[in-house]
Amino acid sequence: QKEVEQNSGPLSVPEGAIASLNCTYSDRGSQSFFWYRQYSGKSPELIMFIYSNGDKEDGRFTAQLNKASQYVSLLIRDSQPSDSATYLCAVTPPRGGYNKLIFGAGTRLAVHP
Amino acid sequence: GAVVSQHPSRVICKSGTSVKIECRSLDFQATTMFWYRQFPKQSLMLMATSNEGSKATYEQGVEKDKFLINHASLTLSTLTVTSAHPEDSSFYICSAWGREKLFFGSGTQLSVL
């Protein structure tokens, strides 16, 4: 079992719709959770981070964390064609601190006009 | 603006030559930096953890004699790909923790002919 799992996609949504990206992780003790957006040929860009169970909203983005289910998701409201990218879920290992992030393989999102 | 600067953004070299990539933290000190490699349509793979003033920690399967890492100051880490071969062609990305978030450099696309 991979440590961080994501559906590779592509996830195709129409412009203006809500895009829902999902991620599961294997280590129950993981502490911090991050969502990065990566355009083709570019490096990842931090979108959201979440540490506590529940929802965290920032503009059109909402991160949801459920530690009991070992599940973290990213919702993008009012999706735009410019949101088309690969979204990477990343998790810090249980020991915490400033440590390496464990990345999922990413979900490719395609927003069509 | 960017908090982690990476240079060069693109390099093309002949097989057998060495290539140095620089990674700088711009507005914070980074005792630890990370080097990732990404092949097309694949996820980020951690190569090594660069530690200021000490030896780098390499991930399993990464040749330390081929990928030389130097972290001589709190703001600069370098990755040197020695005797590069076509199979080393990839997107190399550095990262560093700042303000409790992992920021990425802009990446270096290495093409070995």
Side-chain angles (χ1 to χ4, degrees), chain B residues 38-101:
Chain B
Q38 186 176 39
F39 292 106
K41 299 188 187 299
Q42 295 187 24
S43 187
L44 295 164
M45 296 301 297
L46 180 66
M47 298 175 65
T49 302
S50 172
N51 305 299
E52 188 269 334
S54 65
K55 292 182 179 180
T57 305
Y58 290 83
E59 295 299 303
Q60 190 173 8
V62 178
E63 299 175 59
K64 61 181 181 181
D65 294 330
K66 181 169 185 60
F67 299 100
L68 300 179
I69 291 174
N70 185 286
H71 195 151
S73 78
L74 287 170
T75 59
L76 174 64
S77 174
T78 61
L79 168 68
T80 300
V81 183
T82 62
S83 186
H85 288 96
E87 57 266 30
D88 298 323
S89 298
S90 186
F91 191 49
Y92 292 85
I93 317 173
C94 69
S95 64
W97 284 97
R99 303 188 285 275
E100 298 184 357
K101 304 178 189 64

